[in-house]
Amino acid sequence: MLFVFIILGELLRTNLFNRLQCVPPHNDIGKVNLAIKSNFTYSIWGSSTAYMNVNSAFIEKATNTPTYNFGISGAAFDQLLHLQSFAENNVNKTIIWIVNPYEFESYDYKLEASQLFFQWQDQPVIHSYFKSKSFIEGVGLKYFGWYGISKLNSKHWNYIFNSIVDIEENVNGFIGKNTSFRTVNNFYPINICKPRERRIELFRKIASEVAKKNKLIIILPPVIASISFLNFKKQIEQPEYTVIDHNENSLFKDSLLYQDNVHLNINGANILTKQIIKDLESI
């Protein structure tokens, strides 16, 4: 009887996790699912400054190359488990990673990773992440069916029974907004930001792993604040990948190109995207 109970838990957990894995890419969990299953030649990664600032459909059309924007709202650089899995699962792809220096200071995490990556315990990077947070949880999620089921929260159940929730209209993952500038999201002080050394080391480690089998291009996005990222750029640079600082680009000093202090509007995004296409051609 106990054996039957255990097997039933395994079968039910597998079914529920599979249903989570099938949520389509019209929301963040769907983007994670697509990232782990896909092999796009060009891909864009990061937080909202990725999916609002870089027009992936524009890159696809200009280069005639499959392109997708996998940016996730509120994701810090060390929470992009779908990026690390994509890099592990693919070879010779061009990965464009939009990196925000403010994430390297005293960062307040906005994303709960279990919401988006929970269902992919068969991916080594993701399983290792959960196991590093809690050995019991990592092992339980992968090997004990009823434990995994018990950890499903209301968000997961919502996705399981209604996959068309949290819909955000996007084109190849890009969400362009034609809005006027607002003084919000002012994450940068006037003085040069001073990143924490521990987070610099962690980023360099993750970036090196991502670049092992693929071409990695790091983009420092433009911001409206009068601040330089040149020192930060030097700190994160390594021979394995390219770092390009578009905050130094004089094209992005006009507030008419921004929807707030760190996010470009659709006009600014298209200009930055054209610059990135030039970057791709020159590297």
Side-chain angles (χ1 to χ4, degrees), residues 21-64:
Q21 292 175 5
C22 291
V23 174
H26 49 51
N27 52 35
D28 286 344
I29 195 170
K31 276 190 174 183
V32 167
N33 294 338
L34 181 61
I36 291 172
K37 298 173 185 176
S38 69
N39 61 350
F40 286 92
T41 303
Y42 291 146
S43 56
I44 299 96
W45 308 81
S47 62
S48 55
T49 55
Y51 72 73
M52 289 185 185
N53 286 10
V54 184
N55 190 336
S56 42
F58 195 48
I59 294 176
E60 180 170 287
K61 183 177 180 180
T63 63
N64 196 30

Side-chain angles (χ1 to χ4, degrees), residues 152-167:
L152 292 168
N153 59 30
S154 59
K155 192 83 167 178
H156 297 130
W157 289 111
N158 203 10
Y159 283 129
I160 288 168
F161 290 111
N162 181 19
S163 65
I164 52 172
V165 295
D166 295 342
I167 293 178

Side-chain angles (χ1 to χ4, degrees), residues 21-278:
Q21 292 175 5
C22 291
V23 174
H26 49 51
N27 52 35
D28 286 344
I29 195 170
K31 276 190 174 183
V32 167
N33 294 338
L34 181 61
I36 291 172
K37 298 173 185 176
S38 69
N39 61 350
F40 286 92
T41 303
Y42 291 146
S43 56
I44 299 96
W45 308 81
S47 62
S48 55
T49 55
Y51 72 73
M52 289 185 185
N53 286 10
V54 184
N55 190 336
S56 42
F58 195 48
I59 294 176
E60 180 170 287
K61 183 177 180 180
T63 63
N64 196 30
T65 304
T67 306
Y68 203 87
N69 193 319
F70 292 105
I72 289 180
S73 181
F77 75 83
D78 52 338
Q79 292 184 305
L80 302 176
L81 306 184
H82 60 324
L83 164 57
Q84 295 178 60
S85 289
F86 178 91
E88 182 62 31
N89 296 339
N90 288 282
V91 179
N92 296 328
K93 306 302 180 185
T94 298
I95 293 171
I96 303 164
W97 189 355
I98 312 301
V99 176
N100 300 302
Y102 69 78
E103 297 175 24
F104 292 75
E105 299 182 64
S106 181
Y107 189 69
D108 180 22
Y109 286 95
K110 302 177 181 67
L111 177 71
E112 176 52 57
S114 63
Q115 295 280 4
L116 303 180
F117 308 107
F118 188 88
Q119 69 279 12
W120 287 105
Q121 294 300 318
D122 59 337
Q123 294 291 306
V125 169
I126 293 174
H127 178 60
S128 295
Y129 174 87
F130 278 88
K131 199 162 66 170
S132 70
K133 297 297 181 183
S134 168
F135 180 82
I136 292 175
E137 181 175 42
V139 172
L141 287 173
K142 187 170 184 178
Y143 299 109
F144 297 96
W146 289 111
Y147 181 89
I149 295 169
S150 73
K151 291 296 182 177
L152 292 168
N153 59 30
S154 59
K155 192 83 167 178
H156 297 130
W157 289 111
N158 203 10
Y159 283 129
I160 288 168
F161 290 111
N162 181 19
S163 65
I164 52 172
V165 295
D166 295 342
I167 293 178
E168 224 174 353
E169 295 298 329
N170 66 76
V171 181
N172 292 36
F174 168 68
I175 301 176
K177 295 192 176 182
N178 191 21
T179 58
S180 301
F181 179 77
R182 298 176 301 147
T183 309
V184 295
N185 294 323
N186 188 15
F187 299 124
Y188 292 102
I190 297 302
N191 61 316
I192 296 175
C193 60
K194 298 178 180 179
R196 294 186 175 186
E197 186 61 34
R198 181 182 60 82
R199 291 186 65 75
I200 291 287
E201 291 175 2
L202 177 59
F203 175 82
R204 286 161 61 96
K205 178 181 177 182
I206 295 172
S208 294
E209 287 296 319
V210 169
K212 269 186 178 179
K213 299 190 293 184
N214 300 277
K215 179 188 288 186
L216 175 60
I217 302 171
I218 306 293
I219 302 291
L220 306 185
V223 298
I224 198 65
S226 298
I227 187 170
S228 173
F229 295 155
L230 290 177
N231 182 57
F232 174 80
K233 178 176 181 285
K234 292 177 183 178
Q235 289 180 284
I236 65 170
E237 282 179 321
Q238 292 191 105
E240 296 95 323
Y241 51 82
T242 302
V243 182
I244 300 173
D245 182 3
H246 279 297
N247 188 50
E248 293 297 313
N249 193 324
S250 60
L251 290 174
F252 301 103
K253 302 307 178 185
D254 190 343
S255 63
L256 291 176
L257 299 178
Y258 292 82
Q259 53 180 298
D260 59 43
N261 285 284
V262 297
H263 298 105
L264 296 167
N265 58 31
I266 193 165
N267 295 323
N270 285 338
I271 294 173
L272 178 59
T273 303
K274 288 178 182 179
Q275 296 299 305
I276 291 174
I277 291 171
K278 290 180 181 178

